Amino acid sequence: MIKIQQNTLYGEAAARIRDMINEGLLLPGTRIPEKRLCEQFGISRTPLREALKVLASEGMVELLPNRGARVMRLTRQMLEETYSVMGALEGLSGELACRHITEEEIADIQALHYQMMAYYKRKEIRPYFEFNQRIHDAIMLASRNEVLRETHSSLNHRIQRVRYSTSMTDEYWKQAVADHEAMIDCLLDRDGERLGNILREHLRHKLVVAAASGVIDDDLAASS
Amino acid sequence: MIKIQQNTLYGEAAARIRDMINEGLLLPGTRIPEKRLCEQFGISRTPLREALKVLASEGMVELLPNRGARVMRLTRQMLEETYSVMGALEGLSGELACRHITEEEIADIQALHYQMMAYYKRKEIRPYFEFNQRIHDAIMLASRNEVLRETHSSLNHRIQRVRYSTSMTDEYWKQAVADHEAMIDCLLDRDGERLGNILREHLRHKLVVAAASGVIDDDLAASS
DNA sequence: TTTGGCTGTTTTGTATTCATAATTCACTTT
DNA sequence: AAAGTGAATTATGAATACAAAACAGCCAAA
């Protein structure tokens, strides 16, 4: 969305706050401590407040007039809604990718897949997810739709704090790997409809695991 | 995205700038004149700059460090990409709406449809589009997915400046009306899959008309 | 005539200050 | 002990000031 913001203080501050939220240093539902963050970052309140506007647009925080900003809770409902939307977006990315992808890009995705599989075999979950994400990024890039990529990325920021590793089952992991192999097949066949369906289904599986992880607030608690 | 911002200066400023862009008072590709807008709105630069961050997140303006903000051009490519994504989102809204919609909501959509048809018969295009939009909003609301609604709305802001009326054909209009009647049927039948398809196809038709309207920049011109 | 350098002006990004709203604390009343 | 009130403190939103970057204009040199 925002182009070329990396060398502005507000952009830097937004990124750092986003990281702090994702790493659990700023907990869901809690107030953003403007003064403390300014001291911590060594900047004035102006760029920090601008950063909060950016983060609010991303759905990372909510702005409450005269009461400051609060970290958005990740409720089960919001998670389901977000995954549903992302499913539609990723489905579209799969369809478009099969239309536009090059042989080189397919080969690169295959290479990433083999690297990911190596980590799967070694049960190293953190790098597994890293390569998993890179594969999805590559498919999204192959869609040749920048609006799609940015929209998806914006939603992805919100769920970055979900810790799948705490609720991974062997069954899910096996299914995820099978999904990925089917994705490769679809890319090779340029079967966009099937890839779209697999990506949507893949995200549904992921939602089940995400919903079982520890950062999800009960809906009743969230409305209090 | 941003909750409860209607009574803040930055929120008000963002809305007014958005309107000015959509009404052609701030033209695509042009610099946002901060100083002049501050004088015009009677506010200081702080909330105005905050407003620009919000608008950048929406894709209405682009922020160029040390060079200020510029109204986003609406290129053919961006339009196609945006419609493609919105098609996926509206398709999903149709599927979800058929799952959740109440009889009262269907009746309300039918009433809106009749009102819209009256304007169609009288060839009053402006109110036709107003009711058209209300029908789509009602379907989106019936999806019961707030993330979907907000994501779609954010994208919709970007294309608000498209003036369909300048390139409307009788053929398109007839097709659009037929699409709408089919939508009602699907809602009555709760046929989500078919509604999703109609909504996607409906947007494809709309893209053809949008692409023929006068605010679209040639891609080559946009990169200069 | 064109190009490059310099200077002055304007714009941009950020820091600081000011005014207002909200919260907290202490004291009094019930 | 609980509730209410008022004052003090803190936080928030916006205005203003400051420093740096960018731009425009002018003049001299090639």
Side-chain angles (χ1 to χ4, degrees), chain A residues 8-9 43-44 46-47 66-67:
Chain A
T8 56
L9 282 189
I43 62 174
S44 77
T46 308
N66 288 314
R67 284 169 179 72

Side-chain angles (χ1 to χ4, degrees), chain B residues 26-219:
Chain B
L26 289 172
L27 293 178
T30 59
R31 279 259 311 280
I32 301 279
E34 274 190 22
K35 189 174 174 187
R36 181 154 61 76
L37 288 184
C38 286
E39 289 164 359
Q40 203 167 327
F41 296 169
I43 62 173
S44 76
R45 285 178 59 229
T46 309
L48 190 108
R49 294 178 56 78
E50 289 178 357
L52 290 177
K53 304 300 183 290
V54 173
L55 290 167
S57 294
E58 292 177 5
M60 295 293 287
V61 303
E62 55 183 339
L63 301 175
L64 309 167
N66 289 314
R67 285 168 179 71
R70 193 165 66 179
V71 179
M72 284 294 270
R73 285 194 157 103
L74 207 44
T75 63
R76 181 174 299 268
Q77 178 173 356
M78 182 182 299
L79 201 67
E80 286 172 0
E81 291 181 3
T82 304
Y83 272 88
S84 182
V85 175
M86 285 174 67
L89 295 178
E90 292 201 15
L92 177 63
S93 82
E95 288 164 23
L96 294 176
C98 287
R99 229 182 279 172
H100 299 296
I101 200 165
T102 63
E103 298 294 332
E104 286 79 16
E105 282 172 314
I106 295 178
D108 184 54
I109 288 171
Q110 282 177 305
L112 290 172
H113 178 72
Y114 284 124
Q115 285 171 298
M116 184 184 79
M117 289 303 293
Y119 289 118
Y120 170 60
K121 288 300 178 185
R122 294 200 185 106
K123 306 286 185 193
E124 297 188 37
I125 197 165
R126 195 177 177 97
Y128 169 90
F129 271 117
E130 202 178 294
F131 279 87
N132 185 296
Q133 187 61 49
R134 283 176 65 179
I135 290 169
H136 286 280
D137 290 345
I139 293 175
M140 188 61 74
L141 193 64
S143 75
R144 307 288 191 265
N145 188 322
E146 188 61 20
V147 172
L148 175 60
R149 202 188 59 77
E150 285 173 356
T151 305
H152 181 270
S153 171
S154 184
L155 290 175
N156 207 32
H157 280 319
R158 301 188 196 188
I159 60 172
Q160 207 68 22
R161 78 186 91 165
V162 174
R163 294 288 168 260
Y164 303 98
S165 45
T166 60
S167 48
M168 289 272 281
T169 62
D170 284 344
E171 187 183 345
Y172 163 75
W173 209 353
K174 188 181 299 186
Q175 177 67 61
V177 164
D179 287 346
H180 268 263
E181 286 176 352
M183 288 176 214
I184 303 271
D185 288 341
C186 290
L187 286 171
L188 289 167
D189 293 341
R190 299 188 183 249
D191 187 344
E193 188 176 2
R194 185 153 173 257
L195 179 55
N197 290 333
I198 289 164
L199 285 163
R200 276 184 282 266
E201 204 58 36
H202 186 59
L203 259 193
R204 278 197 205 103
H205 300 151
K206 202 168 179 182
L207 170 60
V208 174
V209 178
S213 78
V215 298
I216 311 302
D217 283 321
D218 209 313
D219 276 345

Side-chain angles (χ1 to χ4, degrees), chain A residues 146-164:
Chain A
E146 189 61 19
V147 171
L148 174 61
R149 203 188 60 78
E150 285 173 355
T151 305
H152 182 270
S153 171
S154 183
L155 290 175
N156 207 30
H157 279 321
R158 302 188 194 186
I159 60 172
Q160 206 69 19
R161 77 188 89 164
V162 174
R163 293 289 170 262
Y164 303 98

Side-chain angles (χ1 to χ4, degrees), chain A residues 14 24 30 41 47 51 66 74 82 84 95 112 114 116 119 122 124 129 140 158 167 182 188 196 201-202 213 221 224:
Chain A
T30 59
F41 297 169
N66 288 314
L74 207 44
T82 304
S84 182
E95 288 162 26
L112 290 172
Y114 283 124
M116 185 185 77
Y119 289 116
R122 292 202 187 108
E124 298 187 39
F129 272 116
M140 189 61 76
R158 302 188 194 186
S167 49
L188 288 166
E201 204 59 33
H202 185 59
S213 76
S224 67

